[in-house]
Amino acid sequence: MCGNEALGEAAILAGCDAYFGYPITPQNEVTAYMSRRMPEEGHVFLQCESELAAINMVFGASATGKRAMTSSSSPGISLMQEGISYLAGAELPAVVVNIMRGGPGLGNIAPSQGDYFQATRGGGHGDYRTIVLGPSSVQELVDCMPLAFDLADQYRMTVVVLADGILGQMMEPVVFERKQGRKLPSKDWALTGAKDRPQNIVRSLWLGEGVLEELNCKLQKKYEQVQKNEVLCEQFAVDDADIVVVAYGVAARIVRGAVSKARQEGIKVGWIRPITLWPFPTEQISKAADEFRLFLTVEMSLGQMVEDVKLAVAGKSPVLFYGRPGGGVPTVDEILEKIKQLTIPEKNRK
């Protein structure tokens, strides 16, 4: 299946009750697929009049305790930022899929990783975070969907699945499994009718003196728990490496090919792939930096995740960057050549 259709089926198997979306390339297959499959399963599908409408309908469905999601691509996700901030302020769970395209502006429909800042820094106004998952294969995109819904429900947060046009369009074999999910808290906050119980109020407007500050402090404690418990990353051949390449998503697939070729040529190089882009695997990268190594961050952008890598390394090792923006996709040979340029002379090794 292509990635866009596969993630749609995975969302349905994960218990998605309602999907709201608006067409935009390169994620249109998600909306088309859900328009057919959600009604077949007796669930809600609605093509909205805009991305603004879609995210606010997600807010409404989530407020009733339903598992709700939307998907879009970069300009459409930008239009949703106000609604995502409202979701954070109301502590409502939601899943948002961004199949990234080239920017800024309308840009183009080529694959990109230029939305990393937007996704990992909240993206809208206020002090809030979203959990961000960065899959690198269609199977992992499938596996991310039940995790995304579980994380959203557990922490009452928006979870962003951050992929790109290549992953959305590419076709790979996939296996769908109904796996046992997490044990989740009850949704006693949901708007389900107040018969025989006190009413619930879902809102993101807090005007009382000190009330909003108290909410923000509460949210921060929750985010600290996410950072403590939910970091995911993958590592290869880091222990003996002189050079560590850090990449995520489709860029990480290309890096794997370059690292494999470099190893065949006797170059000691490994890679670290963040799977959760927030919370970021700061500790794992910091540990790798305890030994003298060069770090190379590879992105399909002009450099966004590289800032998090530098923060994690904390000056212990050099952090260099290679990237291509606006729909440019680096090749295995380009990355291999960059690795060769960075090979550490014997005299500088510990």
Side-chain angles (χ1 to χ4, degrees):
M1 294 180 74
C2 79
N4 285 334
E5 294 182 345
L7 78 87
E9 185 64 28
I12 292 169
L13 292 174
C16 178
D17 296 300
Y19 173 91
F20 307 100
Y22 184 80
I24 183 173
T25 306
Q27 69 82 54
N28 283 328
E29 291 82 5
V30 182
T31 309
Y33 189 83
M34 297 299 262
S35 72
R36 175 174 62 85
R37 287 289 289 122
M38 290 292 279
E40 289 177 352
E41 297 294 323
H43 302 320
V44 173
F45 167 86
L46 186 61
Q47 180 173 313
C48 308
E49 61 267 33
S50 69
E51 292 89 349
L52 295 172
I55 196 64
N56 282 287
M57 290 181 188
V58 168
F59 185 107
S62 179
T64 68
K66 301 299 183 182
R67 283 191 157 180
M69 72 169 283
T70 187
S71 64
S72 190
S73 186
S74 307
I77 296 293
S78 293
L79 290 170
M80 294 182 183
Q81 292 307 315
E82 180 185 50
I84 294 173
S85 181
Y86 286 2
L87 286 162
E91 291 192 271
L92 291 176
V95 173
V96 176
V97 177
N98 182 0
I99 306 297
M100 293 178 283
R101 58 189 264 175
L106 287 174
N108 59 28
I109 61 173
S112 176
Q113 293 181 329
D115 300 352
Y116 179 91
F117 279 158
Q118 181 189 66
T120 61
R121 268 60 177 175
H125 59 285
D127 287 322
Y128 77 94
R129 290 283 194 172
T130 60
I131 297 171
V132 185
L133 304 176
S136 67
S137 69
V138 176
Q139 183 64 59
E140 194 171 36
L141 188 55
V142 164
D143 295 339
C144 270
M145 297 312 295
L147 175 61
F149 280 105
D150 278 0
L151 288 170
D153 282 344
Q154 180 173 344
Y155 294 102
R156 293 176 61 182
M157 291 177 62
T158 295
V159 177
V160 175
V161 178
L162 195 67
D164 65 75
I166 290 179
L167 198 54
Q169 298 292 321
M170 72 189 307
M171 298 189 73
E172 292 185 318
V174 292
V175 176
F176 295 100
E177 295 182 279
R178 290 185 183 271
K179 297 180 180 179
Q180 183 67 36
R182 299 185 176 202
K183 186 176 181 180
L184 299 171
S186 64
K187 295 185 177 182
D188 54 6
W189 45 265
L191 305 182
T192 56
K195 185 178 180 180
D196 300 324
R197 67 161 174 81
Q199 68 174 350
N200 289 336
I201 299 175
V202 172
R203 60 178 177 172
S204 67
L205 178 65
W206 307 90
L207 296 179
E209 184 176 351
V211 177
L212 184 56
E213 183 177 13
E214 183 179 340
L215 173 67
N216 274 282
C217 291
K218 175 188 175 186
L219 293 178
Q220 185 58 40
K221 289 180 181 178
K222 177 166 62 178
Y223 301 153
E224 288 169 359
Q225 286 298 306
V226 175
Q227 289 177 297
K228 178 181 178 182
N229 297 326
E230 305 300 345
V231 173
L232 295 172
C233 78
E234 186 179 14
Q235 301 184 50
F236 172 78
V238 172
D239 289 344
D240 71 336
D242 294 326
I243 301 167
V244 176
V245 187
V246 185
Y248 75 95
V250 164
R253 295 172 67 124
I254 304 167
V255 162
R256 287 177 188 172
V259 168
S260 178
K261 282 191 172 183
R263 281 275 171 178
Q264 291 172 13
E265 296 184 24
I267 302 172
K268 292 183 177 180
V269 57
W271 50 257
I272 296 177
R273 178 175 74 93
I275 300 172
T276 50
L277 305 180
W278 193 89
F280 192 71
T282 300
E283 183 177 336
Q284 289 83 347
I285 292 174
S286 177
K287 182 178 179 181
D290 287 338
E291 300 294 328
F292 181 80
R293 294 183 171 103
L294 288 176
F295 284 78
L296 173 64
T297 303
V298 176
E299 301 178 59
M300 288 154 55
S301 74
L302 282 177
Q304 297 187 19
M305 184 181 70
V306 65
E307 294 196 5
D308 285 334
V309 177
K310 288 179 178 179
L311 288 170
V313 170
K316 290 183 284 188
S317 301
V319 179
L320 304 176
F321 173 77
Y322 180 77
R324 295 184 60 185
V329 180
T331 67
V332 168
D333 288 340
E334 288 171 6
I335 298 170
L336 178 60
E337 181 59 31
K338 189 67 176 179
I339 290 170
K340 289 179 178 180
Q341 293 172 9
L342 301 178
T343 303
I344 304 171
E346 187 69 34
K347 65 179 181 179
N348 289 340
R349 297 179 186 169
K350 284 189 176 180

